[in-house]
Amino acid sequence: MSRFQGLKVNASQFSLMGEPFRILGGSIHYFRVPRAYWKDRLLKLKACGLNTLTTYVPWNLHEPDRGTFNFQDQLDLSSYISLAAELGLWVILRPGPYICAEWDLGGLPSWLLQDKDMRLRTTYPGFADAVNLYFDKLVSVIKPLMVKGGPVIAVQVENEYGSYAKDDEYMPFIRNCLQSRGINELLLTSDNWEGLRYEGMEGVLKTINLQRLSFGAIQHLADMQPQKPLMVMEYWSGWFDVWGEHHHVFRAEDMLPVVSEILERGVSINLYMFHGGTSFGFMNGAMDFGTYKPLVTSYDYDAPLSEAGDCTTKYQLLRNLFSQYHNVPLPEVPSPQERRAYNPVVIQQHLSLWDSLSERPVNMENLPVNSSNGQSYGYTLYESTITSGGIFTSRNNIRDRALVFVDRHYVGSLDYKTHELTLPDVKGERTLSLLVENCGRVNYGKALDEQRKGIVGDILLNHIPLKEFTIFCLDMKPGFMKRLINSGQWKSDFKSSSVPGFFQARLYVDGAPRDTFIRLPGWGKGAVFVNGQNLGRHWSIGPQHFLYLPGPWLRSGENQMIVFEEHQADDKILFAENPDHGKTIDVYKLPFCTLL
Ligand code: GLA
């Protein structure tokens, strides 16, 4: 028998290399952890007693513009998987193409929505053709890492399609996308209790996602799939947060008995997340079960390893538990990293939003930005000329939020809840400006096809549609920020009321840079950039009141910090050694339905 016998499911236990095998897995997303920390996080995963790394693959980052692929640096998937192999871990890949994951549009590229008839997650040709081209590239990257030459023992087909199930041909199509390109490893699907209804596919193992056992989900899976190994593909170690609500915690005392029971019943498990990390930049997703709710930047998830890589109490307790499933002592836990609360830095320069606009107006979604891929993330400014005041109505065509200005004076904001504003009376021609923010596309549920952003339909002044917009793309990507920095328009005399605008400060790091948490009390809402890296969004409504700044993204000496602020600026930026998660809520106290 070949020593390369992959993961097999012919009995009630998995076997690997011909031996019985139990998957003790943990999810860490390479795209949510600075590359310099991949090794530290994987060593901690191994030292916790886990034998398998699982990760999603985000299509939107790997193909930012149609036909342009990026598998380099922070997105070097191949190196990430190889590193796991070097450390003695197996890998389960979850390449989607839809991944959910609290990630913008569930990981699908926004350029797919340029097609007004798009039907995401179906065999609609416009979607299927794009998947085929992406999988040509993706499979060429992952194929050498399959178990015959690498550590990948299984590949997941799509993600929780049972809860979506819009097209019966779609799952066989995705399975075929993998198999026809030479992926011969075990394939599996992953569904929550509700999604298990989906019939499944010949030769593809079903697994389940859950947090509580009280609903008999594992038994249900066993009944559906007798004489097959059972696996909880996502054991939710915590939960994610939305702006304006509480930070979710899942107490170790509640979690441990459940994990113990899963193990005692001989079931395989993957901790989702083992380490959540950060949805850096504008990559957060959103929820929409009737009300649109954008997610925060931190993806701490109350997971065993915190956002900054600290081993929590949960980690220690799980390590004790998993150690009982090993014949040899577990490796030592790597020592904690030092952190620093740098001294506050003072804002030195300011650039008004109005001075940041490029001379040449850049047109909207379907116009020639990003090599005709449209704008994906960030802010867009729409300007039009008006000759009167009156009732201004968005008809809910603003996605997701707009600050409204007349002659660059703020007059109010519009969003999902507020659709109407009274504009002051004006005489002669005035400029109406709408600064529209894409707060994150929904990543779960039926509304995926409706995630176009910006102004998506007519908006009216006194019942008449506004026309002839000048549109500026403020995507805040590295190229944009570079142009800004060199714009020559920065001023050192400014007021903190000079918003919206960009505020610049210098952080001087003495010695080796360390991780830190940025704190912005006294600021309102916006995003923070350090040495050109977009760290994510800040918003005073919380619950997140910090932004994680990884040491490797700082340099010894001078560092450039820019805060983009919409509402209210302060004259300084603060730092802390630890995060402030704000008000918390225990997930065990939430009704089950919110955790489907
Ligand atoms: C589901 C999805 C994951 C994630 C979790 C919640 O199980 O499969 O991608 O969204 O929910 O964190």
Side-chain angles (χ1 to χ4, degrees):
M1 235 181 251
S2 148
R3 71 190 180 89
F4 293 122
Q5 274 218 335
L7 193 64
K8 297 272 181 279
V9 294
N10 303 332
S12 58
Q13 287 298 323
F14 287 107
S15 69
L16 183 60
M17 305 299 170
E19 301 288 326
F21 183 68
R22 159 113 62 154
I23 299 164
L24 300 175
S27 291
I28 306 179
H29 300 151
Y30 55 102
F31 45 97
R32 281 181 155 133
V33 178
R35 182 171 178 160
Y37 285 155
W38 286 354
K39 189 166 181 185
D40 173 75
R41 308 308 194 244
L42 294 184
L43 284 170
K44 287 172 177 162
L45 182 136
K46 181 139 171 113
C48 192
L50 301 179
N51 56 25
T52 304
L53 167 71
T54 62
T55 183
Y56 280 133
V57 180
W59 181 7
N60 66 335
L61 295 188
H62 287 296
E63 193 178 351
D65 298 340
R66 196 186 278 273
T68 307
F69 296 98
N70 180 0
F71 284 86
Q72 300 296 315
D73 307 320
Q74 185 65 50
L75 295 175
D76 188 345
L77 174 59
S78 168
S79 296
Y80 184 63
I81 299 173
S82 304
L83 179 63
E86 271 165 44
L87 304 180
L89 293 163
W90 300 107
V91 175
I92 297 179
L93 275 185
R94 315 178 74 199
Y98 164 83
I99 60 171
C100 194
E102 288 69 76
W103 199 251
D104 189 279
L105 202 58
L108 300 175
S110 65
W111 44 257
L112 289 166
L113 295 174
Q114 290 186 321
D115 175 348
K116 66 177 178 15
D117 300 320
M118 177 53 67
R119 296 185 60 228
L120 300 171
R121 303 179 76 192
T122 69
T123 51
Y124 170 71
F127 186 71
D129 293 350
V131 171
N132 270 317
L133 289 175
Y134 169 55
F135 270 52
D136 282 346
K137 176 66 188 173
L138 174 68
V139 174
S140 75
V141 172
I142 62 176
K143 205 167 144 195
L145 302 159
M146 295 296 130
V147 78
K148 288 202 173 59
V152 180
I153 51 174
V155 178
Q156 185 179 307
V157 187
E158 239 269 353
N159 193 70
E160 290 194 333
Y161 198 70
S163 317
Y164 199 68
K166 281 197 178 169
D167 177 349
D168 291 345
E169 286 165 28
Y170 177 66
M171 286 298 275
F173 161 68
I174 300 293
R175 176 186 57 185
N176 192 43
C177 278
L178 294 163
Q179 289 178 333
S180 65
R181 289 173 175 82
I183 301 295
N184 303 315
E185 274 56 42
L186 175 71
L187 297 183
L188 34 87
T189 53
S190 136
D191 276 289
N192 60 36
W193 189 83
E194 176 206 52
L196 268 188
R197 299 172 304 197
Y198 170 74
E199 241 178 59
M201 286 176 291
E202 187 62 33
V204 177
L205 185 77
K206 278 172 178 281
T207 65
I208 188 151
N209 304 338
L210 53 78
Q211 191 167 58
R212 307 176 194 195
L213 291 178
S214 34
F215 305 94
I218 291 185
Q219 191 52 47
H220 185 54
L221 178 65
D223 295 343
M224 292 183 85
Q225 224 173 215
Q227 287 310 302
K228 292 281 179 213
L230 295 169
M231 177 167 186
V232 179
M233 177 47 103
E234 289 183 22
Y235 182 76
W236 299 316
S237 63
W239 203 242
F240 54 85
D241 301 334
V242 304
W243 285 113
E245 295 186 3
H246 290 67
H247 169 58
H248 290 90
V249 293
F250 181 23
R251 297 185 324 155
E253 308 87 280
D254 292 326
M255 174 174 171
L256 261 288
V258 186
V259 177
S260 280
E261 191 180 331
I262 291 172
L263 296 178
E264 276 160 28
R265 288 167 67 171
V267 175
S268 280
I269 189 168
N270 173 57
L271 301 172
Y272 185 98
M273 298 297 297
F274 174 74
H275 169 49
T278 313
S279 307
F280 291 110
F282 295 135
M283 284 303 114
N284 63 275
M287 294 207 320
D288 195 343
F289 298 109
T291 311
Y292 171 83
K293 295 181 180 183
L295 307 182
V296 303
T297 291
S298 170
Y299 201 57
D300 179 87
Y301 214 83
D302 201 29
L305 270 195
S306 75
E307 180 172 7
D310 294 334
C311 298
T312 62
T313 311
K314 225 177 241 177
Y315 180 96
Q316 308 297 355
L317 294 172
L318 284 169
R319 185 169 190 263
N320 290 342
L321 177 65
F322 289 130
S323 67
Q324 298 162 26
Y325 292 82
H326 290 266
N327 302 325
V328 289
L330 294 179
E332 296 266 311
V333 180
S335 41
Q337 275 148 352
E338 246 181 76
R339 275 209 292 274
R340 273 181 69 180
Y342 296 103
N343 289 331
V345 295
V346 173
I347 302 294
Q348 290 166 336
Q349 284 195 310
H350 169 258
L351 174 68
S352 157
L353 174 78
W354 314 113
D355 294 336
S356 79
L357 307 177
S358 68
E359 292 298 309
R360 192 169 54 90
V362 180
N363 292 340
M364 67 180 296
E365 274 174 315
N366 276 338
L367 294 181
V369 291
N370 300 325
S371 337
S372 304
N373 287 276
Q375 181 184 344
S376 296
Y377 312 107
Y379 294 78
T380 309
L381 183 76
Y382 296 79
E383 292 198 325
S384 183
T385 303
I386 53 171
T387 49
S388 77
I391 303 294
F392 179 47
T393 320
S394 72
R395 303 167 86 208
N396 203 18
N397 280 329
I398 286 177
R399 307 288 157 78
D400 300 295
R401 254 181 113 243
L403 305 188
V404 184
F405 305 82
V406 175
D407 278 353
R408 300 186 168 175
H409 292 292
Y410 177 72
V411 293
S413 68
L414 295 168
D415 58 19
Y416 286 89
K417 286 186 210 130
T418 310
H419 300 167
E420 208 170 277
L421 259 183
T422 305
L423 299 187
D425 269 336
V426 293
K427 291 215 172 57
E429 294 197 341
R430 296 292 154 106
T431 304
L432 173 75
S433 310
L434 301 167
L435 177 61
V436 182
E437 181 193 4
N438 165 0
C439 297
R441 294 189 183 82
V442 164
N443 61 277
Y444 180 81
K446 306 286 175 200
L448 286 184
D449 292 339
E450 317 305 323
Q451 296 307 307
R452 292 176 188 86
K453 299 292 183 180
I455 300 181
V456 299
D458 280 345
I459 53 177
L460 315 179
L461 181 57
N462 299 324
H463 310 291
I464 301 169
L466 285 171
K467 295 225 170 81
E468 293 184 30
F469 285 100
T470 304
I471 301 168
F472 299 89
C473 157
L474 311 173
D475 57 14
M476 305 196 191
K477 293 207 293 199
F480 174 95
M481 297 307 283
K482 209 160 170 193
R483 184 179 60 72
L484 216 68
I485 288 154
N486 301 323
S487 74
Q489 301 271 10
W490 292 83
K491 314 232 159 40
S492 31
D493 56 328
F494 58 91
K495 294 195 266 325
S496 57
S497 57
S498 312
V499 286
F502 298 86
F503 296 81
Q504 198 176 160
R506 310 247 150 224
L507 167 65
Y508 192 85
V509 174
D510 230 349
R514 304 279 179 221
D515 284 11
T516 188
F517 289 94
I518 294 175
R519 302 241 312 112
L520 295 165
W523 296 76
K525 180 175 190 318
V528 180
F529 303 80
V530 173
N531 297 329
Q533 293 261 12
N534 183 348
L535 296 186
R537 305 176 208 260
H538 65 277
W539 195 352
S540 55
I541 61 170
Q544 178 172 358
H545 289 289
F546 61 87
L547 279 167
Y548 174 51
L549 169 51
W553 292 356
L554 288 170
R555 27 178 190 260
S556 304
E558 211 169 83
N559 294 271
Q560 177 198 62
M561 305 192 65
I562 294 178
V563 180
F564 171 64
E565 175 58 50
E566 297 174 27
H567 294 296
Q568 185 203 336
D570 192 19
D571 60 353
K572 56 190 171 311
I573 301 171
L574 308 184
F575 300 89
E577 250 179 77
N578 290 302
D580 167 10
H581 283 289
K583 312 160 282 181
T584 63
I585 185 159
D586 185 338
V587 285
Y588 249 36
K589 305 220 164 90
L590 296 173
F592 169 63
C593 60
T594 60
L595 292 187
L596 262 188

